[in-house]
């Protein structure tokens, strides 16, 4: 518990402080145990509130994590755009040089996702359940935010690749979707992961997310470019 005195917030500033404390508590718990394992009661206990009091600030447990997902999208988009902008040379010298550049871009995108474990976890849970137990207004706000950020990253990707915007958009959408899916398959830090690693016949269950994601994104980049060369 935080030790804060959580009397009901009386001002907008106090309300924002309560919300930030709740979000921080949820993020700590989810980072340690995974989004799936964190209940509303656990978040309330962590922040030092009664569950019913906490739900004055967010509609549901899912609403808390959807807000965290929105914030994580913003942080990731800003970071990966910065990394892509550092790759200023647009490839025009032919296929071999472009394939090397594509691998560098793919590695940068993959690393930017995998280095954010909570974001990867949230990416999988968002369509599965976080959008299913909140109001449609919450869903609209989240989707509008994520769609705009996806477009921003896609536009930046176009500046360092020969891809059209629709192709770049497909790369970004696939990268984020696969990051969430592969993260769940990898089951990092869980008993299931330990089990996979202890059983040789289950070696296929041991997923190393970053190289697999790099390979997928790289294949998309080179594949889309190959179409323009044929």
């Amino acid at each position: 518990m935080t030790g804060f005195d959580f009397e009901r917030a009386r001002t907008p500033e106090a309300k924002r402080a309560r919300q930030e404390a709740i979000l921080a508590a949820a993020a700590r718990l989810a980072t340690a145990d995974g989004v799936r394992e964190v209940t509303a009661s656990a978040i309330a206990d962590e922040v030092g509130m009664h569950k019913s009091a906490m739900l004055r600030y967010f509609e549901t447990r899912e609403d808390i994590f959807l807000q965290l997902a929105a914030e994580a999208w913003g942080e990731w988009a800003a970071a990966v755009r910065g990394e892509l902008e550092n790759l200023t040379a647009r490839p025009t010298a032919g296929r071999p040089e472009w394939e090397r550049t594509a691998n560098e871009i793919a590695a940068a995108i993959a690393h930017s996702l995998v280095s954010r474990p909570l974001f990867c976890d949230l990416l999988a849970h968002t369509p599965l359940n976080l959008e299913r137990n909140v109001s449609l207004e919450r869903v609209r706000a989240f989707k509008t935010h994520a769609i705009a950020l996806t477009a921003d990253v896609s536009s930046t990707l176009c500046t360092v690749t020969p891809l059209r915007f629709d192709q770049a958009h497909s790369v970004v959408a696939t990268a984020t979707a696969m990051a969430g899916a592969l993260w769940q398959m990898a089951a990092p830090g869980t008993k299931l992961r330990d089990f996979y690693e202890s059983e040789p016949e289950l070696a296929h269950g041991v997923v190393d997310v970053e190289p697999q994601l790099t390979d997928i994104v790289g294949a998309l980049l080179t594949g889309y470019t190959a179409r323009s060369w044929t």
Side-chain angles (χ1 to χ4, degrees):
M1 295 187 184
T2 62
F4 290 124
D5 179 8
F6 277 104
E7 294 180 3
R8 188 166 186 171
R10 303 295 179 184
T11 66
E13 293 77 13
K15 183 177 180 180
R16 284 194 293 271
R18 303 294 193 271
Q19 290 171 330
E20 290 300 321
I22 292 165
L23 291 169
R28 286 194 299 273
L29 292 171
T31 299
D33 301 321
V35 173
R36 179 184 291 105
E37 303 299 324
V38 182
T39 65
S41 296
I43 299 170
D45 288 344
E46 175 73 10
V47 82
M49 300 178 72
H50 191 277
K51 177 181 172 182
S52 62
M54 184 183 74
L55 294 179
R56 296 186 187 125
Y57 302 98
F58 291 93
E59 294 176 355
T60 58
R61 165 197 178 273
E62 288 76 18
D63 188 22
I64 295 170
F65 283 114
L66 197 62
Q67 179 61 38
L68 284 175
E71 293 180 0
W73 264 101
E75 292 167 1
W76 172 73
V80 74
R81 289 183 69 196
E83 292 183 31
L84 291 173
E85 286 167 356
N86 287 332
L87 302 171
T88 54
R90 187 183 179 108
T92 57
R95 187 171 303 185
E97 180 180 336
W98 161 238
E99 288 180 351
R100 288 192 296 273
T101 303
N103 288 334
E104 292 177 3
I105 294 170
I109 292 172
H111 181 72
S112 73
L113 289 161
V114 176
S115 63
R116 292 169 170 79
L118 180 57
F119 184 40
C120 289
D121 199 9
L122 288 164
L123 283 169
H125 285 282
T126 297
L128 287 175
N129 52 63
L130 301 184
E131 294 177 356
R132 307 300 178 92
N133 194 27
V134 298
S135 67
L136 295 181
E137 285 304 312
R138 295 289 201 194
V139 174
R140 179 182 288 108
F142 172 77
K143 283 293 193 184
T144 301
H145 179 67
I147 289 168
L149 291 171
T150 300
D152 288 344
V153 176
S154 301
S155 294
T156 302
L157 185 59
C158 286
T159 67
V160 294
T161 71
L163 273 60
R164 302 189 311 265
F165 177 81
D166 62 317
Q167 295 170 330
H169 190 277
S170 180
V171 170
V172 175
T174 300
T176 52
M178 290 305 303
L182 289 170
W183 195 261
Q184 300 305 310
M185 293 167 62
T190 65
K191 291 182 180 179
L192 185 61
R193 176 74 178 210
D194 293 340
F195 176 63
Y196 287 156
E197 292 177 340
S198 68
E199 298 288 334
E201 65 271 24
L202 299 180
H204 69 280
V206 180
V207 176
D208 195 352
V209 179
E210 189 163 347
Q212 289 204 23
L213 187 57
T214 300
D215 188 58
I216 291 167
V217 175
L220 283 171
L221 291 170
T222 55
Y224 278 132
T225 305
R227 291 183 183 180
S228 66
W229 288 334
T230 57

